[in-house]
Amino acid sequence: MNTMTEAKRLAVTGRQKMTPSEAFVETLVAQGVRDVFGIVGSAYMDALDLFELAGIRFVSVAHEQGAGHMADGYARVSGRHGVCIAQNGPGVTNFVTSTAAAYWAHSPVVVVTPETGSMTLGLGGFQETEQLPIFSKITKYQAHVNNRARMSELTSRAFDRALLLMGPTQVNIPRDFFYGDIECEIPRPLAIERGAGGEQALNDAAELLAAARFPVILCGGGVIAADAEREAVQLADLLSAPVCSSYLHNDSFPASHPLWCGPLGYQGSKAGMKLIAKADVVLALGTRLGPFGTLPQHGIDYWPKDAKIVQIDADATMLGLVKPISVGICGDAKAAARALIDRLAKRPLACHANKEARLADIRKEKSAWEKELDGWTHETDPWSVEVSRETRALHPRQMLRELERAMPKGAMVSTDIGNICSVSNSYLRFDRPRSMFAAMSFGNCGYAFPTIIGAKVAAPDRPAIAYVGDGAWGMSFGELQTCIREEIPVTAVVFNNGQWGAEKKNHVDFYARRFVGVNLDRQPSWAAVAKAMGAEGVRVEKLSDVGPALRAAAKAQEEGKTTVLEMMVTRELGDPFRRDALALPTRHLAKYKATAA
Ligand SMILES: Cc1ncc(C[n+]2csc(CCOP(=O)(O)OP(=O)(O)O)c2C)c(N)n1
Ligand SMILES: [Mg+2]
């Protein structure tokens, strides 16, 4: 970095006269912001005008929802803030879905929402809506700039709180407050350091783990957020404990490690499920044990109800929230893991007595699961057999296995919500953290593509790959414009099965195939659309072409090229997600009797 750029990155010090726009931008500089995602708007143009001189890149996107997801992906890769900004009113309301998604992904996204002018607020003027209530349940903190002189103080607090509270925050700024003269000092970012947790809780946890005969570690998003992967590995090695990942956090433990057993939850690893079922003590490291993460899968009700559960979470309100626990530790995953290692390293551990048997068990379950996946080339339910009989299209599972084999080293993969994306959970393995970006528990279609674009901005040297169903692609492909305009090269793998498959599965299983709104007929060729938009577009129809196509697309990123791989897959469908929440139809009115089960 040259000295000119360095100088731009230094915020002014000391109390002095400036405009609120300058105070806002200098606060961003002080907080280390380098990239802001958004769509231009007059509401904040006076501040935007300063971005370049402040060394801040403005990434101009196609839709504000995309900007919010990009900020999310950026934050999840970098561990720093992701920032998005939009025009008051409609630009800001477009942030709602992405902010809710960031909330459930625990991403430190700062959502900057310029508001209608303070002197016309409430008069029903142009682009006016109350912007605080809309975000009140999907942010960790909301700052309203109630006086232009407080611009820097409140903006700065929104940044600090996003990291402190591990989620999105909002700074709401009446648009006239960007103008005028103020005197202020730019606050420096708060230094945040979390501890290991209470002494007593750590001692109790160590007692339980020392006495455990079959300890299992469950690594969650907290391991990634705290950069605690090394400590998780040390702890696992010390206990020779099988390690599972919590749902959609497949990157929380290195897949190449002999103790790795794969993810729990929807379409997760049978090996992981069978092993955790045997646990007498579970160490839930950095996970809130979310309600979806431990639902029975593959017909296995694996959660060990009689086991002692030690839960470590940096958010105190998550302790014991979903699952009963024996010990709750409110602490940082890294610091807590280290504290447990210190307590356990020098004492006899009951789990050492049967170590070899446990390691053999792990090897056996893992190889059985791999063998099963190798043989599981297609789904075998009547619907899937029927629709794939007459077609030469790719079987989704076979295609996903090929993608897994061809996955470039160090790749970042985002996944959308959908049947094929969900099935991919069985095939996504990573050796480094901050590599998997799923739509998490908000589960919105259209998440994966913009998220990977933001991830690529944060980590331009890593291959960036989005897995997206064709329905979700229809919602999000507009951001190809961002890739081309802003020169952000990524790869989108689009699963063309001509249907909103995940929902269609419910029609098949519960509604006697009375399909309503699930078929995506007369779709364009997504490869051709990609080409028309200035990207590479490749239609993949043969299994042997899957791996080479992915490798070529990842390589093309090095030349600045974005590629859409349109995977022509069958209409077969994997197990449904919400079996737990659906019921066969009951009808009381004669008019609707024909639809009763
Ligand atoms: C924004 C949003 N709208 C609707 C849904 C409900 N939904 C969940 S999965 C799904 C189907 C996804 O279809 P597609 O992206 O084509 O993937 P496929 O299931 O076919 O693999 C829908 C509509 C959702 N999760 N999010
Ligand atoms: Mg589809």
Side-chain angles (χ1 to χ4, degrees):
M1 203 184 296
N2 64 36
T3 42
M4 181 65 192
T5 326
E6 286 283 16
K8 286 179 183 175
R9 297 222 195 289
L10 293 176
V12 293
T13 52
R15 197 173 172 81
Q16 54 187 294
K17 182 175 168 181
M18 59 188 96
T19 68
S21 282
E22 289 171 322
F24 173 77
V25 174
E26 282 298 291
T27 307
L28 266 52
V29 172
Q31 291 282 346
V33 174
R34 294 166 189 197
D35 303 276
V36 173
F37 302 90
I39 291 184
V40 65
S42 57
Y44 62 97
M45 206 161 255
D46 196 60
L48 182 64
D49 191 39
L50 310 178
F51 276 22
E52 193 177 336
L53 288 175
I56 297 170
R57 174 183 182 187
F58 181 71
V59 180
S60 160
V61 309
H63 187 289
E64 288 86 355
Q65 183 184 335
H69 290 319
M70 288 177 211
D72 186 347
Y74 185 95
R76 291 177 71 179
V77 175
S78 65
R80 301 194 307 269
H81 298 100
V83 187
C84 55
I85 191 166
Q87 177 74 348
N88 55 287
V92 167
T93 53
N94 277 350
F95 278 150
V96 171
T97 298
S98 50
T99 306
Y103 184 86
W104 289 109
H106 308 285
S107 291
V109 169
V110 179
V111 186
V112 184
T113 61
E115 194 180 59
T116 197
S118 64
M119 292 305 290
T120 55
L121 183 74
L123 303 184
F126 191 52
Q127 299 174 328
E128 177 175 346
T129 186
E130 276 194 64
Q131 297 185 171
L132 290 169
I134 294 173
F135 292 90
S136 64
K137 299 291 181 189
I138 47 176
T139 49
K140 297 281 187 177
Y141 171 72
Q142 297 178 291
H144 176 71
V145 177
N146 65 335
N147 187 305
R148 50 173 61 78
R150 299 185 69 189
M151 177 73 92
S152 186
E153 175 209 336
L154 290 161
T155 303
S156 189
R157 188 158 304 127
F159 274 84
D160 288 341
R161 295 269 171 103
L163 291 179
L164 206 53
L165 303 173
M166 301 168 288
T169 60
Q170 178 185 9
V171 49
N172 195 52
I173 311 169
R175 52 185 294 170
D176 49 319
F177 285 0
F178 281 99
Y179 303 95
D181 293 333
I182 59 171
E183 199 173 283
C184 75
E185 180 167 355
I186 308 296
R188 301 296 117 169
L190 206 64
I192 298 166
E193 191 179 359
R194 290 191 177 87
E199 281 293 307
Q200 186 63 52
L202 287 164
N203 289 341
D204 292 349
E207 284 306 320
L208 285 179
L209 286 166
R213 296 196 58 80
F214 204 102
V216 174
I217 300 177
L218 176 55
C219 287
V223 173
I224 299 162
D227 293 318
E229 209 196 30
R230 208 158 59 100
E231 286 72 14
V233 169
Q234 280 175 14
L235 202 47
D237 285 337
L238 185 63
L239 298 166
S240 318
V243 182
C244 302
S245 295
S246 70
Y247 183 50
L248 299 177
H249 286 300
N250 301 17
D251 53 345
S252 59
F253 197 81
S256 59
H257 193 285
L259 293 168
W260 170 85
C261 298
L264 299 183
Y266 186 34
Q267 297 289 355
S269 154
K270 275 192 192 174
M273 294 173 198
K274 287 188 176 159
L275 287 157
I276 202 167
K278 296 182 183 176
D280 60 347
V281 178
V282 174
L283 175 63
L285 183 58
T287 167
R288 67 191 173 97
L289 297 169
F292 281 141
T294 52
L295 283 182
Q297 286 298 311
H298 309 298
I300 313 172
D301 190 2
Y302 52 85
W303 188 253
K305 291 179 192 66
D306 298 328
K308 301 263 191 281
I309 312 292
V310 176
Q311 187 188 7
I312 298 170
D313 202 295
D315 180 349
T317 63
M318 294 300 137
L319 296 175
L321 178 67
V322 181
K323 296 273 181 221
I325 56 173
S326 307
V327 179
I329 299 173
C330 179
D332 172 77
K334 189 186 186 81
R338 178 117 306 286
L340 289 176
I341 293 165
D342 290 346
R343 281 167 172 74
L344 294 170
K346 288 189 207 82
R347 56 186 287 182
L349 302 175
C351 61
H352 284 172
N354 56 355
K355 173 177 163 177
E356 290 312 320
R358 193 165 49 255
L359 294 179
D361 212 3
I362 294 171
R363 283 194 296 272
K364 187 187 89 192
E365 292 299 353
K366 278 169 71 168
S367 93
W369 175 231
E370 289 310 312
K371 231 166 122 196
E372 184 171 348
L373 282 179
D374 281 336
W376 200 346
T377 52
H378 55 90
E379 306 296 351
T380 52
D381 61 288
W383 163 265
S384 295
V385 170
E386 200 177 303
V387 293
S388 52
R389 194 178 292 136
E390 302 272 297
T391 163
R392 298 178 54 163
L394 301 164
H395 291 299
R397 281 190 176 271
Q398 270 186 320
M399 173 211 56
L400 291 167
R401 193 66 156 166
E402 287 302 307
L403 288 172
E404 177 202 339
R405 293 195 177 111
M407 193 54 70
K409 223 175 147 42
M412 307 181 283
V413 183
S414 67
T415 60
D416 220 279
I417 283 288
N419 193 270
I420 300 175
C421 280
S422 301
V423 172
S424 78
N425 196 27
S426 304
Y427 306 94
L428 286 171
R429 294 102 192 265
F430 301 94
D431 267 336
R432 68 190 267 195
R434 302 190 187 276
S435 296
M436 180 174 177
F437 313 104
M440 309 316 295
S441 35
F442 195 56
N444 62 301
C445 290
Y447 179 86
F449 186 50
T451 298
I452 206 69
I453 297 172
K456 183 74 175 180
V457 174
D461 297 331
R462 297 180 64 186
I465 295 155
Y467 282 6
V468 194
D470 49 358
W473 183 245
M475 282 183 183
S476 53
F477 76 95
E479 296 302 342
L480 273 175
Q481 298 170 86
T482 307
C483 297
I484 304 302
R485 277 198 300 250
E486 295 282 334
E487 301 183 2
I488 307 167
V490 301
T491 301
V493 185
V494 178
F495 307 130
N496 185 340
N497 59 3
Q499 57 192 3
W500 293 103
E503 297 298 357
K504 189 173 189 170
K505 179 70 177 161
N506 296 325
H507 283 161
V508 171
D509 287 356
F510 294 90
Y511 294 93
R513 303 188 183 183
R514 285 187 299 278
F515 299 134
V516 188
V518 288
N519 289 327
L520 295 166
D521 298 326
R522 292 180 286 282
Q523 286 199 95
S525 153
W526 289 118
V529 170
K531 284 188 199 150
M533 292 175 77
E536 310 287 309
V538 182
R539 185 177 258 240
V540 180
E541 293 172 297
K542 286 212 323 258
L543 193 61
S544 56
D545 290 343
V546 171
L550 180 68
R551 279 192 214 97
K555 189 95 185 86
Q557 289 184 29
E558 291 167 23
E559 291 144 34
K561 288 188 190 150
T562 288
T563 307
V564 175
L565 298 178
E566 186 180 17
M567 300 293 180
M568 306 309 291
V569 289
T570 72
R571 291 190 150 187
E572 66 197 274
L573 290 163
D575 254 9
F577 189 15
R578 298 309 311 276
R579 212 196 285 279
D580 65 303
L582 283 152
L584 289 169
T586 303
R587 309 290 181 232
H588 297 301
L589 299 180
K591 189 176 167 184
Y592 300 120
K593 277 286 184 220
T595 67

